[in-house]
Amino acid sequence: MESTVFATSKTRYTPLPSGDQSKYAAQSVRALPIRILTVGKKRSAGIQLVVDEYTEKLKHYCPVQDVRIKSNPKNARDSTAQIEHEDMAVMGLIKSNEWVVMLDERGCDVSSEQMASLIAEAGNTGASSILFCVGGPYGHGRQLRERADVSIRLSSLVLNHEIALVVLAEQLYRAWTILKGQKYHH
């Protein structure tokens, strides 16, 4: 069984092979605040309801902040300019001591157990919080790609940014139940 290795600019993170129990399950883990940054239009009421539900559940484990940046903030007509403007807006919100996880269709596959380990390991980096970045319709810009500590994908399918946000919120909650040894995961 192979394990995925996440090479980062600040740390080297090696999650467990897929399917293995998190080595942090039911242990004390430093609960870093989580910020979820999404680029996109106003969310549909149904999506917002699900995101709010998981955000409330996550708050039992760690502080959570849901941040949204308007897609195409300068109303650029071409996709390259749109990506650049979104990239600048995202970079303006990243704290210098945050551990940045970029969600990207070309990122590393992670299992639920690996996501739990990723969250636990982030507490060992010295970061003040974890930032998960969900891109807009054309993906992430160059600056974020260079700044990100880890790049993951939630599925081998390309997901709409709203669906990616729901999947991410649920997986963050699942990761914390794994870390706490609670029943939700199985």
Side-chain angles (χ1 to χ4, degrees), residues 16 21 57 111 137 144 164:
L16 295 168
Q21 182 68 19
K57 289 180 178 185
S111 67
L144 178 61

Side-chain angles (χ1 to χ4, degrees), residues 96-115:
S96 62
N97 57 351
E98 268 185 315
W99 202 66
V100 179
V101 180
M102 180 179 69
L103 277 66
D104 185 76
E105 64 189 44
R106 293 176 297 275
C108 297
D109 284 318
V110 291
S111 67
S112 296
E113 292 83 1
Q114 289 170 328
M115 179 68 94

Side-chain angles (χ1 to χ4, degrees), residues 57-76:
K57 289 180 178 185
L58 273 168
K59 287 180 180 177
H60 294 287
Y61 304 104
C62 65
V64 179
Q65 185 181 17
D66 178 18
V67 180
R68 187 177 61 84
I69 294 177
K70 181 182 174 211
S71 181
N72 197 10
K74 304 243 181 193
N75 293 318

Side-chain angles (χ1 to χ4, degrees), residues 2-20:
E2 285 185 36
S3 84
T4 307
V5 175
F6 297 104
T8 70
S9 59
K10 297 178 186 97
T11 185
R12 188 154 177 83
Y13 171 70
T14 307
L16 295 168
S18 182
D20 285 359

Side-chain angles (χ1 to χ4, degrees), residues 151-173:
S151 176
I152 64 170
R153 68 179 178 184
L154 298 173
S155 170
S156 55
L157 301 170
V158 176
L159 303 175
N160 161 293
H161 66 276
E162 286 189 332
I163 301 302
L165 174 60
V166 168
V167 172
L168 174 63
E170 190 278 337
Q171 284 299 303
L172 292 173
Y173 175 69

Side-chain angles (χ1 to χ4, degrees), residues 29 31 43 51 56 58 72 74-75 77 81 92 94 106 125 146 151 160 166 174 180:
V29 172
R43 296 179 190 148
V51 170
E56 283 305 308
L58 273 168
N72 197 10
K74 304 243 181 193
N75 293 318
R77 293 199 185 272
I94 296 175
R106 293 176 297 275
T125 65
E146 291 172 3
S151 176
N160 161 293
V166 168
R174 182 178 297 274
K180 295 296 184 181

